[in-house]
Amino acid sequence: MRWKKTMLTLGICSTLLLGACSSKEESHDDSNHTEHTDSGDIREETSGIEQMPNFLADKPEDMQTIYVAAAKHQKLLEQIPCYCGCGESANHKNNYDCFVFENKESGAVVWDDHGTKCGVCLEIAAQAVVDFNNGKTVKEIRKAIDQQYKDGYAKPTDTPEV
C-alpha cells in the first residue's frame, strides 16, 4: 500500500512538472491570516501541521499529502535545494521554504502556496521524503537531486551542505 501511494504521488508530481512554477495570484478569503507576497505566493497561518491551509482545500489529495510530508520533514528539506528558480524569485533558501514560510514558537505554521504552483518543488520534496523513508542518508538524497536537476532547470537555492 505504501509503495502504491508513493508511486501515485510521484506520478502526479511528474505531470505537474509540465506547469512548472508560475506567479499567478489566486483569490482567497483573507480572514484566516492569509497574506499575498510580491511574488504572488499566498501565505496562510494555521494552528499547526495538523491543520491544512485553506488554499489546499481544492487541490489534489496527492498535493496535500506532499504538503503534510514536507511539514513533517523540515530538517530533511531544509538541507535540500530547490531548482525551480525560487531562490531568486521568492528568496527561498531550500525546498522546505516552498511549502512552509515559518514555524512559530506557539506551534503555529505559516504555510506558503508556492509549492501548489510548481511541479519542480513538489517532485523534489516527494522524492526526498520517499528516499529518506527508504533509508537513504541526507547526503545521498542531496547528491541524487543535485545530479537529476543540474541540467535544464533554474539555478538552485543557496542551500548549504551539512
Side-chain angles (χ1 to χ4, degrees):
M1 182 72 164
R2 185 176 177 188
W3 174 251
K4 188 175 181 181
K5 188 169 188 169
T6 299
M7 293 311 298
L8 181 61
T9 299
L10 290 176
I12 295 293
C13 289
S14 296
T15 60
L16 289 171
L17 270 176
L18 297 174
C21 292
S22 72
S23 61
K24 183 179 97 176
E25 188 171 328
E26 298 176 17
S27 176
H28 290 275
D29 178 10
D30 288 340
S31 65
N32 194 18
H33 299 97
T34 303
E35 169 188 335
H36 296 267
T37 66
D38 289 341
S39 65
D41 291 341
I42 297 169
R43 295 189 181 137
E44 183 179 337
E45 183 176 329
T46 66
S47 61
I49 64 172
E50 305 80 31
Q51 181 185 4
M52 290 283 91
N54 290 331
F55 64 72
L56 283 178
D58 64 343
K59 302 298 185 225
E61 184 178 341
D62 292 329
M63 184 181 290
Q64 294 175 20
T65 299
I66 294 170
Y67 260 81
V68 170
K72 290 181 177 180
H73 290 85
Q74 176 180 359
K75 290 184 183 200
L76 167 65
L77 295 182
E78 284 180 335
Q79 297 178 69
I80 304 298
C82 189
Y83 282 81
C84 78
C86 62
E88 294 178 2
S89 68
N91 202 30
H92 289 176
K93 301 296 181 207
N94 51 59
N95 186 247
Y96 185 74
D97 289 349
C98 301
F99 305 95
V100 176
F101 175 72
E102 179 182 7
N103 293 286
K104 297 193 171 190
E105 286 186 31
S106 65
V109 175
V110 180
W111 301 90
D112 193 310
D113 85 326
H114 180 85
T116 67
K117 301 174 283 186
C118 186
V120 174
C121 303
L122 291 165
E123 187 173 83
I124 289 171
Q127 188 62 55
V129 170
V130 167
D131 286 351
F132 184 77
N133 288 338
N134 286 332
K136 288 190 179 180
T137 66
V138 174
K139 192 172 197 165
E140 290 171 324
I141 296 166
R142 166 99 184 227
K143 183 178 179 182
I145 287 173
D146 285 342
Q147 182 64 32
Q148 182 175 347
Y149 292 93
K150 71 178 182 177
D151 296 320
Y153 293 89
K155 179 182 173 187
T157 53
D158 187 20
T159 309
E161 289 191 50
V162 179

